Amino acid sequence: MRIATVVGTRPQLIKLAALQPSLRRRHEEVFVDTGQHWDDALAGAFFAELGLPQPDHSLGIGGGSGVEQIGRMLLALEPLLAAARADAVLVVGDTNSTLAGALAGAKLGIPVAHVEAGLRSFDRTMPEEVNRVVADHLSRWLFAPTPTAVADLRAEGITEGVHLVGDLMQDLVARIVPEVREPEAGVPDRRHSGTYLFATIHRAENRTPEAVRAWLALLGDVARPERPVILALHPGTRAVLDGLGAPIPRNVEVIDPLGYRSSIAAQLHAGAVLTDSGGVQREAAWLHVPCLVLRGTTEWVESVADSGGRSVVIGLDSHAAWESLARLAPLGDVDAAVNRARTVAVRPVGAGERISAALAGVAPEVGV
Ligand code: UDP
C-alpha cells in the first residue's frame, strides 16, 4: 500500500521512528511532517538521533491557536494528499496534526489508520481528548495499545477495524536500554544513579498560572541539595513560566529538553520521575522507575495498575508527592537506582510489525 504518514510533534517523531522500519518493509510511505513542533530541541534534533529520513513534505505549520493550526494544516493537506494518491492516511496519538490528518483523509475518502487509538481521559476540556475521539471515529484501522483502549472503543460502539497491537514506544525503549546503562551515556551532568529526581511538564492543564505555581511548589518541596530535581522543560511551558516571572525553587534545576537517549538515560538513573507526559510515564514504568504522575487522571491505566505500586497518579498534591517518594524512593537510597540501571530489561512487543501486517491485510484483528 501507499501510506501517507502525517506527524508533527516530538512524541510522534519518536513513535514513527519505532514504526517506520517495518512500515517501509511492507509499504510505500509518503512522509508528511506538519511542523507542529518546529524547533531543534523538540523536532529537528530527533531526525538525526532517531535516523528518520527527510520528510517528503514539510508543511512548516507551527504556532498560532489550536484551531488556527488545524485549519492551516487542512488547507495544506488537501492538495497534498489528493496528489499523493495514497491508499491510506496514517496518524499517530492525539495532537492537532492527528486530527488534521484524520479529517483531511476522511473528507477526501482516503481510509484513515490511527495509531494509539482508544485512549481516553473522559475529560473533553483536554485538547488531546477531542483530537483522539474524532480521529478514532473517522478511522478504518484502529491500533489500540492496551486492552483498556479496546474496551473504551467498544463502549463508543467501535468494534470493527480494531487491532490490539501493544505500544510502539515500548519497542523503542527495549532497543535503547542497553545503550544507556551507564549514566555517562546521557544523564545531564553525568550525575550518579539515584542522586536526582527527573521531571518533565508540558500539558495545557499544567500551564495555567495556578497550576504552574502548584507544580513549582511541589517540585520545591521534594527537591533537596543531595537530590535535586532536574526539570527538562518544554519550550511552551518555559514561555509560560517566564511570563509569570515565578521564581524557581531552590534545588530545582531547569534545563532544556533532552534528546531521546538522554531522556531514557535520565529516567533510568533517576531516584524517581515526576511527569505529566503520557510517554514518560510509560517509559518510567517499563524501566521500573518510581513515577509520580502530575495529573488528576491517566489514559494509561495498565501502566499504573501493572507497576506494582511504583507509579502513582497524584495530581499537584505536594503531600502525596512527599508520601509517595518516602515510600518508593527514600532519600539516601541510591542502591535501588544503581541495581535497576544494571539489570532492568524491557520486553519488545513488535507493535510496528503488527501494525504494518494489519495494514497489509495479513493480520487478524486481535483482542477484540
Ligand atoms: N522526551 C525527550 N526529551 C525530553 C522529554 C521527553 O526526548 O526532554 C521524550 C520522552 O522520553 C518520550 C517522549 O518525549 O519518549 C514523550 O513526549 P511528550 O512528553 O512531549 O508527549 P506525550 O507523551 O505526553 O504525548
Side-chain angles (χ1 to χ4, degrees):
M1 275 214 290
R2 196 167 150 82
I3 298 175
T5 52
V6 179
V7 298
T9 64
R10 169 172 70 185
Q12 289 169 330
L13 294 173
I14 292 170
K15 288 162 200 170
L16 188 63
L19 172 63
Q20 214 170 41
S22 43
L23 193 73
R24 288 189 171 205
R25 266 197 300 277
R26 287 184 186 269
H27 305 283
E28 191 184 341
E29 183 192 13
V30 181
F31 176 10
V32 184
D33 176 14
T34 64
Q36 186 177 337
H37 282 168
W38 73 92
D39 59 4
D40 202 49
L42 283 192
F46 285 84
F47 278 86
E49 182 177 5
L50 298 171
L52 286 164
Q54 280 307 306
D56 298 298
H57 303 274
S58 297
L59 307 185
I61 300 173
S65 73
V67 173
E68 183 193 332
Q69 240 180 36
I70 292 163
R72 288 165 60 211
M73 286 176 193
L74 286 172
L75 289 175
L77 283 170
E78 181 176 17
L80 186 163
L81 290 176
R85 294 172 291 102
D87 302 306
V89 177
L90 183 143
V91 295
V92 182
D94 54 20
T95 70
N96 295 334
S97 304
T98 315
L99 176 55
L103 198 49
K107 295 301 277 183
L108 292 167
I110 307 170
V112 177
H114 185 201
V115 175
E116 283 194 358
L119 295 167
R120 295 291 182 269
S121 63
F122 303 102
D123 175 2
R124 295 254 171 123
T125 65
M126 276 180 76
E128 295 92 340
E129 182 81 352
V130 175
N131 295 341
R132 55 198 171 209
V133 167
V134 175
D136 282 342
H137 283 265
L138 296 177
S139 289
R140 154 75 184 79
W141 295 272
L142 299 101
F143 297 115
T146 63
T148 299
V150 173
D152 287 341
L153 287 171
R154 191 184 308 122
E156 290 176 19
I158 303 176
T159 53
E160 279 181 28
V162 178
H163 299 258
L164 177 59
V165 293
D167 198 324
L168 279 173
M169 292 183 96
Q170 185 168 342
D171 289 325
L172 206 52
V173 176
R175 212 164 81 200
I176 297 297
V177 163
E179 297 173 24
V180 296
R181 289 204 188 279
E182 301 301 326
E184 290 75 16
V187 174
D189 296 334
R190 301 181 168 205
R191 284 187 171 78
H192 295 302
S193 304
T195 62
Y196 64 93
L197 303 173
F198 180 63
T200 78
I201 294 184
H202 73 91
R203 293 217 169 270
E205 71 206 59
N206 279 335
R207 289 187 186 176
T208 65
E210 305 73 47
V212 171
R213 290 198 182 91
W215 59 253
L216 274 178
L218 183 153
L219 296 182
D221 280 347
V222 300
R224 288 285 170 277
E226 65 274 35
R227 193 170 69 176
V229 171
I230 301 178
L231 173 59
L233 207 51
H234 190 288
T237 318
R238 190 189 277 259
V240 175
L241 197 60
D242 291 348
L244 274 177
I248 309 296
R250 256 189 305 174
N251 304 314
V252 175
E253 299 172 21
V254 179
I255 62 170
D256 288 335
L258 299 172
Y260 178 71
R261 269 178 193 74
S262 292
S263 170
I264 300 301
Q267 294 177 61
L268 179 64
H269 294 277
V273 166
L274 297 90
T275 189
D276 63 3
S277 158
V280 175
Q281 66 181 271
R282 273 131 71 211
E283 289 166 348
W286 295 320
L287 295 169
H288 291 187
V289 185
C291 179
L292 313 190
V293 179
L294 304 180
R295 296 180 51 201
T297 175
T298 181
E299 301 80 23
W300 300 97
V301 183
E302 284 87 349
S303 183
V304 173
D306 299 343
S307 73
R310 250 190 325 261
S311 294
V312 280
V313 179
I314 63 162
L316 299 179
D317 180 343
S318 267
H319 183 69
W322 245 111
E323 233 177 38
S324 307
L325 284 176
R327 190 164 44 83
L328 298 169
L331 206 58
D333 172 17
V334 296
D335 289 349
V338 170
N339 291 335
R340 173 212 311 141
R342 272 201 204 121
T343 59
V344 80
V346 180
R347 185 178 56 87
V349 293
E353 179 50 30
R354 291 185 193 182
I355 290 168
S356 307
L359 287 168
V362 296
E365 292 179 17
V366 287
V368 185

